[in-house]
Amino acid sequence: AQTVTQSQPEMSVQEAETVTLSCTYDTSESDYYLFWYKQPPSRQMILVIRQEAYKQQNATENRFSVNFQKAAKSFSLKISDSQLGDAAMYFCACIIQGAQKLVFGQGTRLTINP
Amino acid sequence: GAGVSQTPSNKVTEKGKYVELRCDPISGHTALYWYRQSLGQGPEFLIYFQGTGAADDSGLPNDRFFAVRPEGSVSTLKIQRTERGDSAVYLCASSSGLAGVGNTQYFGPGTRLTVL
């Protein structure tokens, strides 16, 4: 069975600074997909970034990038130039090839200090 | 609509009552998923539909929970004889194809269920 672990319940960063959120996962499969979702107080889960396990190149989306270390089963999210609107819960999730359910971590609450 | 919609936004009920939660997926999305998110936790899978049929209901906690998707679009999650432990946010997601081949799941805003 897959597991996803986020070891940082809370993180804070100064506006305009860079912050990295950690995520590790465990699966015996070699083909899978990894995601970071953002959940603001409105409850809507918003996709931030995704990574295919077969791709060696780290995904980037504007100010968001990942550090994907397949051998270490690590998938951290880096947010550059943090903005007040980035404040939210962030969830790491994994889905294995052929399965249909996302497995989520426990989440990290990110606070942006003005 | 542009995104996944869920109704009601909030539902308060008494222990033992029956509730229905509705999900309207993104138009054209064939796959639909239900998750449950307890306070302070990440979402947990309940059930997945491909078209009209429930392809995987392994996450439903017991037989008080049931979901349907009769026309392959809107889905309803039904909970009988509600218990206080059922209190949570129920999230619905849809995808244009199978998530297991990399299609992204897009989530609705959820229904917060409170059982008194």
Side-chain angles (χ1 to χ4, degrees):
Chain A
Q2 308 154 256
T3 58
V4 177
T5 302
Q6 294 178 249
S7 58
Q8 306 155 314
E10 297 184 355
M11 291 282 285
S12 63
V13 64
Q14 290 295 125
E15 193 177 2
E17 297 293 306
T18 296
V19 64
T20 299
L21 308 184
S22 300
C23 172
T24 58
Y25 59 93
D26 190 18
T27 178
S28 57
E29 303 292 328
S30 59
D31 294 325
Y32 49 87
Y33 304 87
L34 297 164
F35 303 83
W36 278 97
Y37 281 91
K38 168 186 177 181
Q39 187 178 44
S42 66
R43 298 197 306 251
Q44 182 105 35
M45 297 283 277
I46 302 165
L47 177 68
V48 175
I49 198 166
R50 55 173 280 157
Q51 174 83 39
E52 293 83 353
Y54 62 82
K55 289 187 178 178
Q56 293 186 343
Q57 186 172 4
N58 289 323
T60 63
E61 286 288 342
N62 300 313
R63 298 183 294 107
F64 300 88
S65 61
V66 299
N67 183 5
F68 173 47
Q69 301 290 329
K70 191 171 184 178
K73 296 183 179 176
S74 171
F75 183 61
S76 60
L77 174 70
K78 185 172 83 170
I79 305 174
S80 304
D81 185 26
S82 298
Q83 300 177 359
L84 295 177
D86 295 333
M89 285 291 292
Y90 285 80
F91 291 95
C92 178
C94 177
I95 188 167
I96 62 174
Q97 177 83 16
Q100 306 307 325
K101 59 182 180 182
L102 279 165
V103 176
F104 287 86
Q106 305 93 317
T108 296
R109 181 177 303 280
L110 178 64
T111 302
I112 311 295
N113 300 313
Chain B
V4 179
S5 62
Q6 293 186 246
T7 54
S9 178
N10 292 283
K11 175 70 177 179
V12 180
T13 191
E14 293 180 344
K15 180 175 178 296
K17 299 290 189 182
Y18 167 82
V19 298
E20 289 190 350
L21 312 180
R22 176 188 166 107
C23 171
D24 203 337
I26 293 172
S27 178
H29 279 194
T30 56
L32 186 145
Y33 313 80
W34 284 98
Y35 292 81
R36 180 167 72 173
Q37 186 176 20
S38 299
L39 189 64
Q41 301 294 317
E44 293 181 317
F45 171 82
L46 294 176
I47 187 169
Y48 147 69
F49 288 88
Q50 180 60 35
T52 59
D56 182 355
D57 63 358
S58 62
L60 295 178
N62 51 59
D63 60 6
R64 295 187 297 106
F65 288 74
F66 189 71
V68 296
R69 194 185 185 200
E71 298 179 355
S73 179
V74 171
S75 176
T76 304
L77 179 65
K78 307 180 180 191
I79 310 174
Q80 299 177 319
R81 304 183 303 281
T82 51
E83 300 177 357
R84 292 191 179 88
D86 298 336
S87 296
V89 174
Y90 290 82
L91 295 167
C92 177
S94 70
S95 63
S96 60
L98 297 177
V101 295
N103 290 289
T104 297
Q105 295 185 29
Y106 295 93
F107 284 80
T111 294
R112 181 181 299 281
L113 175 66
T114 303
V115 182
L116 300 177

